Amino acid sequence: MKINKIIILFLLLPFVALAQDLKVGKLQCEYKSDPQGIEEASPKLSWQLQSTGHNIIQTSYRVLVASNKTLLDQNKGDVWDSKKVSSSASIQVGYAGKPLASARTYYWKVMVWDNQQHTSAWSKPAHWQMGLPSKADWKGAQWIAYDRLPDSSKITPLIHLRGPKKLGPANDVLPLLRKEFKVTKAVKRATIYISGLGHFELSINGQKTGDHFLDPGWTGYDKQALYVPFDVTDQIKQGSNAIGVMLGNGFYFIPRDARYRKLTGAYGYPKMICRLVTEYTDGTTDNVISDQSWTTAPGPITYTSIYGGEDYNANLEQPGWDKPGFNDARWKKAMVVEGVPQLDAQIAEPLKVFEQFAPKTVKELGPGVTGQATKSKDPTFKPKMMTNRVLYDFGQNLSGIVRITVKGKRGDTVRIYPAELLTKEGTIDQKGSGNPHYYDYILKGTGEETWQPRFTYYGFRYAQVENAVSSGSANPHQLPVITAIKSLHTRNASAIVGNFSCSNELFNRTFKLIDWAIKSNMASVFTDCPHREKLGWLEEAHLVGGSIRYIYDIANLSRKCINDMQVAQTPEGLVPEIAPEFTNFGGIFRDSPEWGSNSIILPWYVYQWYGDKKVLADSYPMMERYLIYLNGMAKDNILSQGLGDWFDIGPKSPGLSQNTPQGITATAIYYYDLQIIAQIARLLGKSADAVRYEKLAGEVKTSFNKSFFDASTKQYGTGSQTANAIAMYCGLLDAKDKAAVLDNIVKDIRTRNNALTAGDIGYRYLLRVLDDNGRSDVIFEMNNRSDVPGYGYQLAKGATALTESWQALPGVSNNHLMLGHLMEWFYSGLAGIKQPDDATGIGFRHIEIRPEPVGDVTFAKASYNSPYGMISSDWKKEGKKFVLDVEIPANARASVHLPANKGDKVQMNGKPVAAAWKDGKAELKVGSGRYHLVVE
């Protein structure tokens, strides 16, 4: 009997394993795992199905949300029990339970059923914590500061460049603020909600809280600021505790001094607000809030500017200032100051320090004139002769800061100049990146001292250290000795979701070139460059967005960008070219439809990639107002304002469009906007709006073709690559003309010996048109070279990050993401992971795998962790065989297109399969799972 039971159990094991193979993982709330600061009344939940089986589709789900983990462990959802819901939805599932309370933590889990009669176990528990969405939730917390900037000294909007000398003080006090409090009971959880403007660094009981850099994110401070929640349970102890806050300027206050600044202005002096919520095990709660009971004093940072650098005097440190028991008798009471109209949780990921680089080479330069003193445009910046200068080459141009470890005498000052490039003489060159930008560190003389800037950063590869010597060098003047130095790369902490590599080494190097520019310009906005401007120029977010999304999860950074545009939109409906709009550049640098249309295109792309329909509803009023503005600016439906195809290649130095007539790109984007909003209107149930926008789109198309299309030559405008490509991509061609216009595009490229001319706006559309129409061979030939301006040319010039100009000119930025469009083709074309054009592909629910084995490429592989799970495409040529390994996530499906001739044999997982033949490819429909495909 016992033997029979064992036999039966053994026979059942495969079936038990099969039933248990379906799992649920990667639970997220509002795109984050176990997030804090959630302010949505109905947060969006998502999860991923995990199974080794094939063709797995979710058929039902059940979500439990509980007020504590004990109830959740008992399978009790006292806050929400969705019951069994018949639905395949596993992303963007809206919470529909009881009203959620501020600062409360909620615990949740999911189980699912699939189309093969499998039932998963409950997922591992996850949680989210609510934020403080209303003013009352702050429990009386006040904005406090060291001092108040008089209203007469405020400068908003900020002024471009330096402005007149009468613009207020040249510097401000960078304060420390502290508060002691007692804890008398056992702590269950402690959370602090804090904002410090321009930036803050928080510590509790002498230990820095978290690993963030430059919190909070940049916003239009006259309308909005962001707060950041931290779980500080492990930092709070029974007995006496102390909170310490150090404040920096950021964009909130930009000092007027002799150093570099792109903008000058002041919203106010640095200030902060916070609420610490301590929950005890007995169920009671205490609050510590910012108010006049806090004390404050000047800190050891004596200067900081988002543009100019930072100075630190270690002799002004006050040891123990952020610990309990510190004697602050000489400190003054904090001053209560005015607040910011709107205070919201920071939804975008924070900035953090990532890669660290030690010097590749070290060169003693000897005595000489300091940094860029001789080239500074500010007459008040006086040159100084430095006793010694040391040049460190870290080998990589990046966004970040320098960290030094130094030994020397008390009062010695070490100066550090970061730079992207070198002069012909071999010293640092800040000409194209904003000069002078530097850091001064004054030693306290107590052995080895380690320091790095806290509230500024720069784009650099080199560091020139002055008034010091490198370790092991001769030191006749007894200068400070640099015992260690590193460059620290800082970027937005968006998760990496994609990888790519191929057999073509130039393409692999190009991938890294573009990637360094992307991650160097992901701050709390998508910046143009990490040094000279640091501004959120909006065209990049939609034009290079496809490239970025394949590598990084930028859902929340994109949502933050959308919010910035909503805040920046003018009463007339204009969405300016930068957001936050710290300054009004005016004219063509404020009103370019290719830039402002990000307000329509980016929400649409967020919906397409992540399935977020709510972002469309939230953005719809902004879209409507912007289109009303554009309609008012149009003359006979043609828009002619703006920058056009910025930085294209022509006979002159790059800048305004040289090849494409004014109005083509702006009007084409206008038509694209109208098509998008018509689709959005239908999704939102606004059918009358959709009809109205479709009618206007038809009128714009007619006017566009009448104004720019030559029916005899089948060319738009001058027939430039940009003009023809953007018209084709945006759908402005009649079907009968598409083949001829595509031929003209290819012909133009061929007659230029496969060289590109398109710029910031046009190149993305040129690549998309070629990719979408099966001409990846042309893309390969344009980019597999180093002899003409382009990616290979920049690499040949020594670039380690994508440069602002195709020509890698030294006088402009050498770390710019705006021309990074080829990254999108690496994934969608060469490796072949893309979305279908129709609604089935939203969130990559339906996937196209369409690899393009072009040129000398013998293998390519890419992966993308989509909202539904991992998608991968890995192909190679083996003699006459084409081999493709594909992974499709559960709850998704795919169309696989294989390069093949009609007589070829196709195998899938070792078995012959019949394929449909379409556009010269063998097409297979597959569900989730892993597939090994062979064509021979």
Side-chain angles (χ1 to χ4, degrees), residues 895-913:
S895 300
V896 181
H897 303 261
L898 298 163
N901 298 312
K902 277 198 174 182
D904 292 341
K905 297 176 182 178
V906 180
Q907 288 187 346
M908 182 166 66
N909 293 343
K911 296 179 180 179
V913 292

Side-chain angles (χ1 to χ4, degrees), residues 377-439:
K377 296 178 181 178
D378 191 325
T380 64
F381 187 80
K382 297 179 181 179
K384 292 182 180 179
M385 178 64 72
M386 290 296 166
T387 308
N388 195 59
R389 301 165 301 160
V390 187
L391 182 72
Y392 297 90
D393 179 1
F394 300 103
Q396 178 61 55
N397 191 359
L398 50 73
S399 57
I401 53 178
V402 177
R403 182 172 66 204
I404 60 168
T405 300
V406 59
K407 290 177 66 174
K409 300 184 295 294
R410 176 184 174 90
D412 282 349
T413 300
V414 173
R415 177 168 290 183
I416 308 159
Y417 282 91
E420 293 186 309
L421 303 174
L422 300 178
T423 64
K424 293 179 180 178
E425 295 74 30
T427 60
I428 59 102
D429 185 358
Q430 294 181 339
K431 182 180 179 182
S433 53
N435 70 282
H437 176 106
Y438 61 87
Y439 317 117

Side-chain angles (χ1 to χ4, degrees), residues 171-176 246-249 270 297-304 455:
N171 208 347
D172 62 334
V173 172
L174 286 310
L176 308 175
M246 183 180 290
L247 296 179
N249 286 326
I301 297 177
T302 57
Y303 171 91
T304 186
F455 299 124

Side-chain angles (χ1 to χ4, degrees), residues 362-371 384-391 425-427 464-470 473-474 476-477 479:
V362 180
K363 184 178 181 181
E364 293 283 345
L365 299 176
V369 175
T370 180
K384 292 182 180 179
M385 178 64 72
M386 290 296 166
T387 308
N388 195 59
R389 301 165 301 160
V390 187
L391 182 72
E425 295 74 30
T427 60
Q464 186 168 303
V465 181
E466 302 183 338
N467 276 344
V469 298
S470 60
S473 297
H477 301 288
L479 297 175

Side-chain angles (χ1 to χ4, degrees), residues 698-855:
E699 294 169 359
V700 172
K701 180 176 181 178
T702 299
S703 297
F704 184 88
N705 284 305
K706 182 179 178 181
S707 299
F708 300 117
F709 187 55
D710 186 331
S712 63
T713 63
K714 307 298 183 185
Q715 301 273 24
Y716 281 89
T718 55
S720 69
Q721 295 170 11
T722 291
N724 284 331
I726 198 169
M728 190 169 183
Y729 182 86
C730 292
L732 286 153
L733 278 68
D734 290 332
K736 61 182 176 60
D737 296 320
K738 286 184 178 180
V741 173
L742 179 63
D743 286 344
N744 280 332
I745 292 171
V746 174
K747 183 179 179 181
D748 181 86
I749 295 167
R750 297 300 197 204
T751 56
R752 297 176 187 277
N753 191 25
N754 296 318
L756 64 91
T757 62
D760 179 20
I761 305 301
Y763 195 59
R764 194 253 173 171
Y765 297 116
L766 177 64
L767 294 176
R768 295 310 325 138
V769 164
L770 292 170
D771 186 5
D772 292 344
N773 288 276
R775 296 310 307 265
S776 283
D777 59 317
V778 180
I779 297 175
F780 173 85
E781 288 162 10
M782 290 174 70
N783 293 283
N784 185 41
R785 60 189 309 179
S786 304
D787 57 327
V788 294
Y791 304 108
Y793 188 84
Q794 294 180 21
L795 288 164
K797 290 279 187 178
T800 59
L802 183 65
T803 69
E804 183 176 8
S805 65
W806 286 121
Q807 301 92 329
L809 298 172
V812 294
S813 166
N814 274 253
N815 194 340
H816 234 72
L817 70 81
M818 76 179 188
L819 298 175
H821 316 99
L822 191 67
M823 190 76 85
E824 187 175 8
W825 176 77
F826 286 152
Y827 285 87
S828 70
L830 198 57
I833 299 173
K834 61 174 62 177
Q835 290 173 296
D837 294 332
D838 57 36
T840 65
I842 300 302
F844 282 84
R845 186 72 183 272
H846 182 203
I847 306 149
E848 281 194 3
I849 303 293
R850 190 188 293 266
E852 296 288 346
V854 293

Side-chain angles (χ1 to χ4, degrees), residues 353 356 394 401-405 416 450-453 460 482 484-488:
V353 172
Q356 301 184 19
F394 300 103
I401 53 178
V402 177
R403 182 172 66 204
I404 60 168
T405 300
I416 308 159
T450 298
W451 175 81
Q452 65 195 50
F460 69 98
I482 304 297
I485 185 170
K486 285 189 175 182
S487 70
L488 311 181

Side-chain angles (χ1 to χ4, degrees), residues 102-333:
S102 64
R104 287 289 301 274
T105 301
Y106 296 92
Y107 301 85
W108 68 292
K109 60 183 180 180
V110 187
M111 69 183 301
V112 301
W113 293 259
D114 73 10
N115 59 331
Q116 298 180 17
Q117 288 71 55
H118 298 151
T119 302
S120 77
W122 285 108
S123 68
K124 291 182 180 179
H127 65 267
W128 78 81
Q129 188 176 38
M130 299 300 290
L132 308 179
S134 72
K135 187 175 181 179
D137 294 327
W138 286 85
K139 303 297 184 184
Q142 297 173 297
W143 286 94
I144 58 175
Y146 178 85
D147 199 2
R148 177 187 292 110
L149 181 69
D151 289 345
S152 59
S153 296
K154 292 180 180 179
I155 309 164
T156 59
L158 309 186
I159 294 173
H160 185 208
L161 300 177
R162 298 183 175 277
K165 291 184 178 180
K166 63 182 180 180
L167 291 178
N171 208 347
D172 62 334
V173 172
L174 286 310
L176 308 175
L177 295 107
R178 71 184 308 273
K179 171 71 176 180
E180 287 198 32
F181 63 98
K182 289 187 180 296
V183 171
T184 58
K185 293 182 285 187
V187 175
K188 175 185 176 183
R189 178 189 293 269
T191 306
I192 192 166
Y193 304 86
I194 179 170
S195 179
L197 303 179
H199 297 298
F200 70 87
E201 188 170 288
L202 169 69
S203 58
I204 296 178
N205 296 329
Q207 180 183 25
K208 180 182 173 179
T209 300
D211 57 356
H212 299 185
F213 178 69
L214 294 187
D215 269 341
W218 306 326
T219 53
Y221 300 114
D222 54 339
K223 297 179 182 177
Q224 181 195 39
L226 304 177
Y227 69 88
V228 186
F230 291 98
D231 184 339
V232 294
T233 308
D234 292 341
Q235 288 185 269
I236 301 297
K237 61 182 182 178
Q238 288 206 24
S240 296
N241 293 264
I243 304 173
V245 179
M246 183 180 290
L247 296 179
N249 286 326
F251 276 99
Y252 193 69
F253 184 100
I254 300 177
R256 188 186 66 77
D257 71 320
R259 301 195 203 189
Y260 172 72
R261 59 187 186 276
K262 175 69 175 179
L263 308 175
T264 303
Y267 292 90
Y269 285 137
K271 61 186 180 184
M272 61 82 67
I273 188 172
C274 77
R275 175 190 170 194
L276 170 65
V277 186
T278 305
E279 304 170 52
Y280 300 110
T281 55
D282 66 2
T284 60
T285 299
D286 270 344
N287 289 285
V288 176
I289 59 173
S290 52
D291 56 22
Q292 208 166 2
S293 68
W294 289 53
T295 56
T296 183
I301 297 177
T302 57
Y303 171 91
T304 186
S305 168
I306 197 67
Y307 288 119
E310 190 162 296
D311 298 341
Y312 188 93
N313 187 345
N315 300 289
L316 300 179
E317 292 177 346
Q318 300 187 54
W321 71 275
D322 53 357
K323 295 180 179 179
F326 174 77
N327 183 2
D328 61 0
R330 295 186 178 181
W331 289 37
K332 70 175 188 175
K333 293 291 185 182

